[in-house]
Amino acid sequence: MSDNPDSGDHNDRLLPDSNKPTEKSMGEKVSTVFRNVLQTRTDNIKDWFMNYGIKSSVGVLCWLFGSMGMSVLWIFIGAFSVLYSIEKFHKKRKITEMFKTVTEDKSKLVEAVKQLHMENSSSLPSWIYYPDVEKVEWINRIIRQLWPSIQGYVKDILSEQVGPSIRSSSGLLGGFKFTDMDLGNIPPQLVGVKVYDEHQTRSDEIVLDMQLVYASQCNIGVSVNYLNAGLCDLDFRALMRVEMSPLLSKSPFIGAVAVSFVHDPKIDFNLTNLANMFDIPGFDSLLRGAIRDSVRGIMVYPEKYVLKLVPDVDISYLKFPLPDGVLRVHVIKAKHLMAKDTKLFGPNKSDPYVIVQVGRNFKHRTAVVAEDVNPEWNETFDVIIEDIWHSTINISLYDEDILNTDDSLGTASLAVRSVYQRGVVEEWINLTQVKKGSILMKFEWFELAHEASNLDKAIKIAEHKENTNSSLLSIYVDKACHLPEKIKDCLSSNVQLKITVPCRKDPFKTKLTEFSNPIWEERFLSPIQNPKIDQIKFEIESDSYSGKTLGTLSFSISELLELEGMCIDKDFPLDNATPKTTLNMRLCLRVLKLKEKQGPQFDGSEIMNKPPTPSATTQPSPTTSPVPEAEKPTPESDEYEHLSINNNAHQRSPSIASIASVMSDGAVSRMQPNERKPADNGKGRVMLTIRHHQDQLLVLIVKAESLIICDEDNSTSDPYVKVTVIGQNLSKKTKVVKKSLNPSFDQRLSFQLSIMDVRKSRLKVSVKNHTGFLSSEKVRMGTIFINLANIPDLTLPNTRWFSLE
C-alpha cells in the first residue's frame, strides 16, 4: 500500500478513461456539422415533398385527366387536395412555432392563446382582449361553493321586487307571479373584472366593473291570470358596476356597497307549457319587455341596489348622487325635408314636427309647422343628464297626419359625450332613413357650479330663452317625525309628501307610507329659473284626510345662496302641526355654468344612425329623470356616528366615466359602432376599433361588407386585412375568411408603440384577396389611410366604419 494517500488518485488521473469520449479532431467536427446540415436539408426537402410534391403531383395528374375530357370532377378533387394539404401544412408549422415561442418565453403564453383562438374563429372573454380587465377565476370558485346559499337570496329578490314590478307594468300582467323557482346547478360567472385606479376615482371610493354571464338550465314557474307556464334556458349577460363608499378607518373599512348595471342587461329565455300562447303577436314581447323594464327600474344605472355595511352611514349620497350636468337643446330649423302630403294644386308639402329623446326618461315634442318643407321652430329646453358617457340624443322628424299614422321624415342620433367634450356644438345634421333632409341643432353643456358668484350670469343667459333655467335644485326627503293625530283612524292611514315648485305644472309626490313611520328616502330634481325670488312649498297629506294637511312648510331658495356649498341638511319644523313635527330633508342648489367651447372640431361622422329605444314611450318632465352625482360621505370621527359631507369636494371627476368599461357581452365580436355607415365608394366598407393602451396600439378588425368580387368564378372572394403603421415599418395581417364578401374577422392586431409615436403615425389598412400560386385573380380589394393624430382620445376605443378606396 502506498504511503501517499493521493498517489492512487493521481495515477488514476494519468490513465485514459475508457468511459469518456475521446476528443474529436478538427476534421471530425467539420464532418459532423456537415452531416447535421445535410440531414436537416434532407428532412426539409422530404417534408416539403411529402406535403407539396406528392399531393401537388396528384393534383396535376388529376388536372391532366380532367383536361383530357375524362371528368370535370377530377379537377375539383385535385384542386381541393392541393389546397387542403397546403393549408394543413401551414397550420401545423404555425402551431409548432407558436409552442416553440411559448417554451422559450412563457410571458407570450396569452398572445399564443389569443392567436390560437383567432385561428379557430372562436371568441374569448374580455380579459384576453383588454389588458386592464382581469381574469378572476378564484372568485368563480367561491361563487360555485356559495351558489346554494345565494339561490335563496336571488329568489327573495325575484319574489319581492321583480314580481310586483312586472304586475304593475301592464294590466294584462296584473296576475303575474312566480310559482316555482329552481335556478339550476350552474352558477353565474364573472368573465372579467376591471378595477379603476385611484386617479380615476375619488379617494373615498372603490369602483369595479364586472362582466357577468349566467347561462343556466333553470326551471322557473310563472302564472299569469291562472294560466301556468315554465321559464327555462335563461341567458343573462350584463356589465355590473360595484361602488364601495365611503372608505373607513375602522372595520369593516367600507360603509356601503352599491350595485347597478351599466347598461340594460341582455335577458333571453324560453317558455314551456304555454309557449304557444306566448307566441301570440305582442304577448311574448309584452312579457319580455315587462321583465326587462322591471330589472331596469331596480338596478340599471342610475338606479342602484345599496347594501349598508355600517348602520350609521348615510347612504343617500351613494344612492342619489348629483347629476353630471344639464344639456341645453336648441331645435332651430330644417331644410329640404321630404314632402309627404300630396296636393292637388301646388307643390307637395309636409307638416313637420320634431321629437327629441335623451336617455330613457326625457322626451320633448316641438310644435307642428304646417305645410312647410323648410320649417323653423326655434325651441329651447333643458335636459338633466344622468350619465354623460352612456346617454344619447335621438332626433326624429315626423309629418303630422290627422287620419293616418305620422310619416317619418328622418332620424339622427348624437352621443351626449360629444357635446360634453366640446362645450358647444351647432351643426347641420343630415337625416338618415330618408332620401334627403337636414336639421340645424345647437347643443350647450352646463356644468353644476356650487359658487353663488356664478348665479347672476346664469340668470342673464336664461332670460334670453323660454323654458331655460339658471340653476338646479336637488331635494332629498328622508322622513317626517311626530305627525299630528288630526283624525280618529290616523294610525292606520298612509301619508304622502307633496312638493310644489315654481314653473312646474304638477307637484312632486312621494310614495304613500305608513302614518306611524313615514320614511320616504326619495330624491327629486327641479330646474329653477331665479333662485333669488322662487319659493318651494311642502305639504304632508293623508289618504284618509282629504282636503287638509298634516303640516306645511314654505322655503325660500335664496336662503341656500348664503350657505357654504349652497346645501342644507336638517330637521325643518312644520306649520299647521304640533311643535314637535319635523321634516328631515336635504336641499342642495347648483348653478348652471356654461362650459367654454373646447376640444376638437365636431366631426359629422359622430352622428349615429340609431333610432330611439322603444322603452321610452312616455313623456315625463325633465325634472323627474334620475341622475348620478358625486357626493359621498367620508368619516370625520373615530366612530361611525355623525358622518358629515363636505359639499364642495364631491363632484365626480369624469375620468372614471370617460373610460367606462369597454367590456362587451362575452366577446368583442358583439361590439356595435355608435355611428352611421359612410357612403360606399364601390369597394365596400370595413369596421375598425382603434385604441392605445399600455404602450400598445390596438387595432381590432371587426368586419367588412360589400367587398368586391375577385375570384375567377366571379362570385366571391377570400379576403384578409393587412394593417401597416406608416413611419414605423410595422405591419400585421388577419386570418383569411374564405368565400365571403361580408367577412367577420374579430381579430386584434397590436403594435408596441408609445403614444407619442402613435400621434406621429398613420395607418394603412388594406383589404386583400388571398390567391393561390400563379393565380391570375385580383389581389388588392381596397385601401384606407387613417391619420392617428386626428383621433381625439386614443385611450378610449374608437369604433367606426371606413369606406375603402
Side-chain angles (χ1 to χ4, degrees):
M1 180 178 293
S2 172
D3 296 335
N4 187 0
D6 295 332
S7 61
D9 293 339
H10 177 72
N11 294 330
D12 290 342
R13 287 196 293 268
L14 295 177
L15 296 174
D17 189 354
S18 59
N19 296 325
K20 295 181 181 180
T22 58
E23 184 178 356
K24 295 181 180 180
S25 64
M26 181 61 66
E28 291 175 336
K29 291 181 179 179
V30 172
S31 177
T32 302
V33 172
F34 179 77
R35 283 197 301 270
N36 291 338
V37 172
L38 184 61
Q39 182 65 34
T40 302
R41 294 292 184 182
T42 303
D43 293 341
N44 291 340
I45 294 173
K46 185 186 296 185
D47 290 340
W48 184 92
F49 183 75
M50 293 298 295
N51 288 279
Y52 287 96
I54 295 178
K55 296 178 181 178
S56 298
S57 300
V58 173
V60 172
L61 185 61
C62 294
W63 179 82
L64 289 175
F65 278 117
S67 64
M68 289 187 292
M70 296 184 65
S71 175
V72 179
L73 181 62
W74 289 104
I75 301 176
F76 292 102
I77 294 175
F80 176 78
S81 300
V82 173
L83 293 175
Y84 176 78
S85 301
I86 295 174
E87 187 69 23
K88 187 176 181 181
F89 176 74
H90 280 301
K91 184 177 292 186
K92 181 179 178 181
R93 187 174 65 178
K94 187 178 293 185
I95 293 176
T96 302
E97 293 176 353
M98 184 184 302
F99 280 106
K100 181 181 178 182
T101 303
V102 171
T103 303
E104 295 174 352
D105 186 359
K106 294 184 178 181
S107 64
K108 297 182 179 180
L109 175 61
V110 174
E111 288 295 328
V113 173
K114 288 189 286 186
Q115 183 67 23
L116 189 60
H117 276 260
M118 289 175 182
E119 291 294 330
N120 294 316
S121 301
S122 60
S123 24
L124 291 170
S126 53
W127 64 268
I128 288 289
Y129 287 97
Y130 297 102
D132 55 350
V133 178
E134 302 175 17
K135 180 184 178 183
V136 285
E137 188 58 32
W138 62 275
I139 294 183
N140 290 326
R141 288 195 290 268
I142 294 176
I143 294 176
R144 279 196 293 269
Q145 297 184 47
L146 289 175
W147 181 235
S149 302
I150 296 176
Q151 284 197 52
Y153 183 70
V154 175
K155 291 177 182 178
D156 291 340
I157 293 178
L158 292 175
S159 299
E160 299 173 5
Q161 299 187 40
V162 177
S165 179
I166 294 175
R167 287 193 291 272
S168 61
S169 64
S170 173
L172 295 175
L173 300 175
F176 179 91
K177 64 179 180 179
F178 293 103
T179 59
D180 184 29
M181 294 186 194
D182 180 9
L183 300 181
N185 298 323
I186 303 177
Q189 281 193 323
L190 298 178
V191 297
V193 173
K194 174 182 176 65
V195 182
Y196 289 97
D197 296 334
E198 58 273 8
H199 67 275
Q200 299 168 349
T201 60
R202 294 190 309 276
S203 59
D204 66 332
E205 69 176 354
I206 299 174
V207 181
L208 303 86
D209 280 352
M210 300 181 176
Q211 188 183 10
L212 178 68
V213 176
Y214 178 46
S216 174
Q217 296 179 347
C218 66
N219 188 7
I220 300 176
V222 297
S223 175
V224 182
N225 299 327
Y226 303 102
L227 299 176
N228 298 322
L231 188 152
C232 63
D233 299 331
L234 177 65
D235 187 5
F236 185 93
R237 298 172 184 269
L239 184 58
M240 185 170 65
R241 175 161 294 175
V242 179
E243 299 173 81
M244 306 177 188
S245 179
L247 304 182
L248 309 175
S249 58
K250 297 277 187 177
S251 177
F253 306 111
I254 296 172
V257 177
V259 181
S260 61
F261 296 126
V262 177
H263 306 287
D264 289 345
K266 293 187 177 181
I267 307 173
D268 194 16
F269 52 84
N270 292 323
L271 293 167
T272 59
N273 297 337
L274 284 181
N276 293 332
M277 173 186 171
F278 285 98
D279 286 338
I280 297 175
F283 201 91
D284 180 73
S285 60
L286 177 66
L287 177 61
R288 294 177 186 273
I291 294 177
R292 182 182 62 248
D293 293 342
S294 64
V295 174
R296 177 188 298 129
I298 296 173
M299 286 188 62
V300 175
Y301 192 83
E303 301 297 330
K304 303 175 183 178
Y305 184 82
V306 181
L307 178 64
K308 185 186 292 188
L309 302 181
V310 177
D312 296 313
V313 169
D314 184 2
I315 64 173
S316 63
Y317 292 95
L318 183 61
K319 192 173 183 179
F320 302 109
L322 283 175
D324 285 349
V326 172
L327 177 69
R328 182 159 296 168
V329 182
H330 304 260
V331 183
I332 303 175
K333 58 184 177 181
K335 64 181 180 181
H336 308 316
L337 299 180
M338 298 288 293
K340 295 291 186 177
D341 298 335
T342 304
K343 302 292 182 181
L344 295 177
F345 303 99
N348 297 336
K349 297 287 186 179
S350 290
D351 304 319
Y353 65 92
V354 183
I355 292 181
V356 179
Q357 180 181 317
V358 183
R360 298 193 306 267
N361 298 322
F362 179 86
K363 193 175 182 181
H364 176 86
R365 172 172 170 164
T366 67
V368 177
V369 179
E371 298 185 354
D372 197 343
V373 293
N374 297 290
E376 293 189 15
W377 292 281
N378 292 314
E379 293 190 19
T380 304
F381 49 90
D382 291 341
V383 186
I384 302 172
I385 298 300
E386 57 186 55
D387 185 0
I388 295 173
W389 308 100
H390 299 108
S391 299
T392 304
I393 308 166
N394 296 304
I395 306 167
S396 304
L397 278 75
Y398 294 94
D399 168 45
E400 186 182 52
D401 291 325
I402 298 177
L403 300 178
N404 300 318
T405 304
D406 294 350
D407 298 318
S408 175
L409 297 177
T411 62
S413 296
L414 175 67
V416 172
R417 66 175 178 270
S418 297
V419 180
Y420 168 79
Q421 291 168 349
R422 293 167 176 83
V424 179
V425 172
E426 184 173 2
E427 285 288 326
W428 279 99
I429 300 175
N430 293 327
L431 301 173
T432 61
Q433 302 180 7
V434 289
K435 294 181 179 179
K436 62 178 183 177
S438 58
I439 183 171
L440 179 60
M441 302 287 295
K442 182 179 179 181
F443 306 99
E444 297 173 301
W445 181 260
F446 286 85
E447 300 172 321
L448 302 182
H450 54 266
E451 300 90 2
S453 58
N454 298 302
L455 182 59
D456 291 335
K457 184 177 180 180
I459 293 176
K460 187 176 180 180
I461 295 175
E463 288 176 347
H464 291 86
K465 290 288 183 179
E466 189 179 357
N467 298 326
T468 60
N469 305 277
S470 66
S471 53
L472 179 70
L473 180 65
S474 172
I475 306 171
Y476 172 72
V477 182
D478 186 16
K479 61 183 179 179
C481 298
H482 305 294
L483 293 179
E485 300 179 10
K486 294 186 177 182
I487 56 175
K488 182 178 180 181
D489 299 326
C490 62
L491 296 178
S492 60
S493 64
N494 295 318
V495 294
Q496 183 181 56
L497 177 65
K498 183 173 71 174
I499 306 172
T500 304
V501 296
C503 302
R504 180 181 170 87
K505 182 179 179 181
D506 299 319
F508 293 118
K509 291 184 178 181
T510 66
K511 62 187 177 183
L512 285 169
T513 186
E514 296 179 356
F515 175 91
S516 58
N517 188 27
I519 299 177
W520 293 288
E521 295 183 345
E522 296 184 47
R523 196 273 303 274
F524 304 95
L525 296 168
S526 176
I528 303 296
Q529 286 189 339
N530 192 342
K532 295 182 177 180
I533 59 175
D534 290 339
Q535 285 192 337
I536 313 173
K537 186 176 182 180
F538 300 89
E539 299 174 285
I540 299 180
E541 300 176 340
S542 172
D543 60 350
S544 59
Y545 193 55
S546 59
K548 295 184 179 180
T549 62
L550 302 179
T552 61
L553 170 66
S554 294
F555 181 82
S556 297
I557 303 178
S558 59
E559 296 182 24
L560 296 174
L561 300 176
E562 308 298 328
L563 301 176
E564 182 181 359
M566 295 192 294
C567 282
I568 185 172
D569 188 351
K570 70 172 189 177
D571 292 324
F572 293 85
L574 300 182
D575 298 327
N576 302 320
T578 67
K580 293 184 177 181
T581 304
T582 58
L583 177 63
N584 182 268
M585 59 182 178
R586 179 174 66 249
L587 305 177
C588 186
L589 184 68
R590 290 292 180 263
V591 178
L592 304 188
K593 181 181 179 182
L594 180 63
K595 184 178 181 180
E596 296 181 0
K597 192 170 183 179
Q598 60 181 22
Q601 186 175 359
F602 184 79
D603 185 359
S605 64
E606 296 183 55
I607 304 298
M608 302 178 292
N609 183 12
K610 180 180 179 182
T613 57
S615 59
T617 56
T618 59
Q619 186 175 343
S621 166
T623 58
T624 62
S625 63
V627 271
E629 156 199 314
E631 299 184 6
K632 294 187 182 174
T634 54
E636 288 190 348
S637 62
D638 291 337
E639 300 299 325
Y640 298 132
E641 293 89 14
H642 312 296
L643 297 178
S644 61
I645 305 299
N646 179 2
N647 294 294
N648 298 336
H650 295 282
Q651 295 298 323
R652 179 187 290 277
S653 169
S655 60
I656 179 174
S658 65
I659 56 173
S661 179
V662 294
M663 296 187 291
S664 62
D665 298 54
V668 177
S669 59
R670 294 186 177 87
M671 292 176 58
Q672 296 294 331
N674 292 326
E675 64 168 89
R676 61 180 181 178
K677 299 176 183 177
D680 189 353
N681 296 326
K683 294 191 175 182
R685 293 177 286 259
V686 61
M687 186 198 296
L688 306 175
T689 297
I690 303 173
R691 183 192 186 194
H692 185 270
H693 182 77
Q694 293 184 351
D695 286 336
Q696 287 192 79
L697 175 63
L698 309 177
V699 182
L700 176 66
I701 318 299
V702 184
K703 59 184 176 180
E705 67 177 24
S706 304
L707 299 180
I708 61 176
I709 297 173
C710 296
D711 288 358
E712 292 178 343
D713 57 3
N714 291 326
S715 62
T716 185
S717 299
D718 301 326
Y720 68 95
V721 179
K722 181 178 180 181
V723 178
T724 302
V725 184
I726 300 177
Q728 303 295 332
N729 195 26
L730 298 172
S731 64
K732 292 185 179 181
K733 60 183 180 180
T734 68
K735 63 186 178 183
V736 177
V737 179
K738 297 291 186 179
K739 298 187 181 303
S740 177
L741 299 180
N742 300 285
S744 178
F745 298 98
D746 286 330
Q747 185 169 345
R748 194 194 75 174
L749 306 179
S750 60
F751 303 91
Q752 196 74 27
L753 290 171
S754 66
I755 188 63
M756 298 299 295
D757 292 335
V758 169
R759 286 296 182 187
K760 296 183 292 185
S761 304
R762 289 199 307 157
L763 285 184
K764 178 184 177 182
V765 182
S766 303
V767 181
K768 297 185 176 183
N769 179 43
H770 180 72
T771 60
F773 183 66
L774 298 180
S775 173
S776 60
E777 295 176 351
K778 185 176 181 179
V779 176
R780 184 178 177 274
M781 304 177 70
T783 304
I784 56 173
F785 292 89
I786 304 172
N787 191 348
L788 298 176
N790 293 337
I791 299 179
D793 189 356
L794 279 168
T795 61
L796 298 177
N798 295 270
T799 303
R800 59 170 293 187
W801 286 95
F802 296 89
S803 294
L804 297 173
E805 297 179 355

